[in-house]
Amino acid sequence: IKEKAMEEIKSLNNMEELEQARVKFLGKKGELTKVLRGMGKLSKEERPVIGQLANEVRQDIEKELNNTKENFRREIQKRKLEKERIDISIPGKDIVLGHRHPLVKTMEELENIFMNMGFSVVYGPEVETVENNFDELNSPENHPSRDLTDTFYINKNLLLRTHTSPVQIRVMKENKPPLRIVSAGRTFRFDDVDDTHSPMFHQLEGLVVDENITMANLKETINTFIKVLFGEDMHTRFRPHYFPFTEPSAEVDVSCFSCKGKGCDDCNGTGWSMELLGCGMVNPKVLQNCGIDPDKYSGFAFGLGIDRIAMVKYGIDDIRLLFENDMRFLEQF
Ligand code: PHE
């Protein structure tokens, strides 16, 4: 049996045949088992001798089967490795890495500047209630900006926010002073598209409410922000203005980006770059609308156009480029 088994095992070709051979020689109905079963017929003296022999044969066959199995396994592994071999000399595929959109980069930069000044960053929805966007901000019922031609209305009560100022209302209604937040995001106004106008644009809103907040705090905050963003040699000019939700209100001009205030063709010789942001002291009526005591607290707010800043920072002369997602444009940043 042993010789026959060894002979057969040598001629095995694969794992299946090996398993069949195992059953044939060692299985319950196998040849060796038959011998062991027949032991009952043997004499007392023969039994241990034959028994031992049969066990030895069993062990030998098992060993040979296992060795063969191991060889097969190695063979399979080798073939698999050869098949899956990677040719490391083939040139690689270029991995195209994406990057942040210049507008997003600008937004993050602005948020970071304010975070470094102790502001928290909050978010507000682009679909707003008429209440938050106009009413609570003390916007008069007949104000032209409420007109259908300026505002995208969704229905009587909902609209696409026309500025980020409704975030002020949300923050003041949900939190108690002291408050110090900025909020950047999309805003919408019905506008014809040209190189400086788009019906979708971006603003960053800022709001500070606490005891003893004054115009001096507002000016210092804006001045610091401008210098960190554009450089120490940039100055600001506050011009009186009107917003229903701030009183007094101002518009802020910044030194001309081309000549830094000396006067050049870009700024018609004035040295100023116009209307970078609107700001003012939070109107006491607005504080009251939000349940904040105007006798105890005061605050300032500002709103600035992010698209303008991105265009100045990255030397982009057409706002439409920011929204068209032309790869030839985006890949430059
Ligand atoms: N919301 C104003 C605008 O869109 C800007 C502004 C914000 C003015 C906060 C004053 C205070 O023009």
Side-chain angles (χ1 to χ4, degrees):
I1 292 177
K2 182 177 163 184
E3 262 161 32
K4 196 172 138 206
M6 293 302 180
E7 202 57 42
E8 254 191 70
I9 291 171
K10 275 207 190 75
S11 69
L12 295 176
N13 293 312
N14 55 43
M15 285 288 192
E16 286 88 63
E17 286 180 17
L18 183 106
E19 196 45 40
Q20 280 162 16
R22 179 187 297 281
V23 172
K24 182 171 168 192
F25 291 109
L26 304 178
K28 274 197 185 116
K29 289 176 184 158
E31 298 191 11
L32 197 65
T33 315
K34 269 187 217 149
V35 173
L36 289 166
R37 281 228 183 88
M39 293 244 297
K41 290 181 200 135
L42 298 174
S43 68
K44 246 194 201 152
E45 296 78 37
E46 281 173 319
R47 238 180 264 164
V49 182
I50 298 293
Q52 200 188 354
L53 190 66
N55 269 334
E56 273 172 28
V57 169
R58 183 185 182 87
Q59 275 168 18
D60 286 349
I61 295 177
E62 243 166 25
K63 202 170 147 200
E64 190 61 22
L65 280 169
N66 285 341
N67 283 345
T68 311
K69 189 172 176 180
E70 184 58 24
N71 285 343
F72 282 165
R73 214 186 49 71
R74 259 191 235 125
E75 191 61 33
I76 289 172
Q77 172 92 350
K78 204 172 119 196
R79 254 183 267 141
K80 200 168 158 198
L81 283 178
E82 254 163 36
K83 212 167 79 190
E84 292 174 1
R85 194 163 61 188
I86 293 167
D87 182 350
I88 55 169
S89 67
I90 292 175
K93 285 186 197 145
D94 267 351
I95 296 172
V96 184
L97 276 186
H99 60 75
R100 291 234 189 325
H101 190 283
L103 200 57
V104 175
K105 274 203 237 181
T106 308
M107 257 192 247
E108 288 178 349
E109 190 182 349
L110 301 185
E111 286 173 348
N112 275 325
I113 294 174
F114 284 107
M115 277 197 278
N116 287 337
M117 290 200 258
F119 285 72
S120 310
V121 174
V122 303
Y123 294 93
E126 292 165 13
V127 175
E128 258 297 1
T129 60
V130 173
E131 234 172 70
N132 286 344
N133 194 84
F134 290 129
D135 300 339
E136 306 283 43
L137 285 166
N138 194 39
S139 173
E141 206 76 53
N142 55 359
H143 194 273
S145 68
R146 286 204 183 206
D147 208 318
L148 285 165
T149 53
D150 273 321
T151 308
F152 291 106
Y153 281 91
I154 288 171
N155 59 36
K156 221 169 101 245
N157 306 312
L158 290 177
L159 43 68
L160 297 182
R161 63 179 178 186
T162 59
H163 51 181
T164 43
S165 296
V167 183
Q168 289 186 39
I169 302 296
R170 288 175 177 271
V171 169
M172 284 193 279
K173 281 193 168 166
E174 279 157 33
N175 304 277
K176 287 194 169 58
L179 303 171
R180 214 186 295 168
I181 62 97
V182 288
S183 186
R186 286 198 187 110
T187 47
F188 307 83
R189 280 178 210 175
F190 205 99
D191 236 336
D192 285 332
V193 180
D194 64 27
D195 55 352
T196 56
H197 292 88
S198 158
M200 184 202 64
F201 55 106
H202 297 75
Q203 286 191 336
L204 181 131
E205 193 80 10
L207 172 73
V208 171
V209 182
D210 201 351
E211 292 175 30
N212 305 316
I213 296 293
T214 69
M215 194 92 182
N217 300 123
L218 167 61
K219 289 192 76 172
E220 179 60 18
T221 303
I222 298 300
N223 285 338
T224 305
F225 162 69
I226 292 298
K227 284 177 191 294
V228 173
L229 181 65
F230 293 120
E232 276 298 322
D233 48 353
M234 296 293 274
H235 299 281
T236 57
R237 175 171 79 174
F238 286 65
R239 273 184 295 105
H241 198 74
Y242 171 77
F243 296 105
F245 34 92
T246 47
E247 183 61 35
S249 306
E251 255 184 359
V252 180
D253 303 331
V254 180
S255 309
C256 171
F257 300 108
S258 309
C259 63
K260 311 245 156 149
K262 289 184 199 74
C264 66
D265 284 349
D266 283 355
C267 54
N268 292 324
T270 63
W272 295 104
S273 208
M274 304 294 275
E275 288 174 41
L276 206 72
L277 62 95
C279 62
M281 302 308 292
V282 180
N283 192 320
K285 279 193 211 154
V286 175
L287 292 175
Q288 213 153 27
N289 288 345
C290 299
I292 292 174
D293 180 1
D295 291 329
K296 185 166 180 209
Y297 294 107
S298 55
F300 66 78
F302 55 89
L304 56 95
I306 300 174
D307 314 82
R308 253 306 274 303
I309 293 178
M311 289 167 74
V312 171
K313 275 217 88 94
Y314 292 102
I316 300 162
D317 57 7
D318 190 331
I319 193 171
R320 288 168 290 200
L321 289 166
L322 287 174
F323 309 129
E324 284 169 349
N325 288 333
D326 185 331
M327 288 305 281
R328 289 168 302 182
F329 168 77
L330 292 178
E331 277 167 357
Q332 297 174 49
F333 302 97

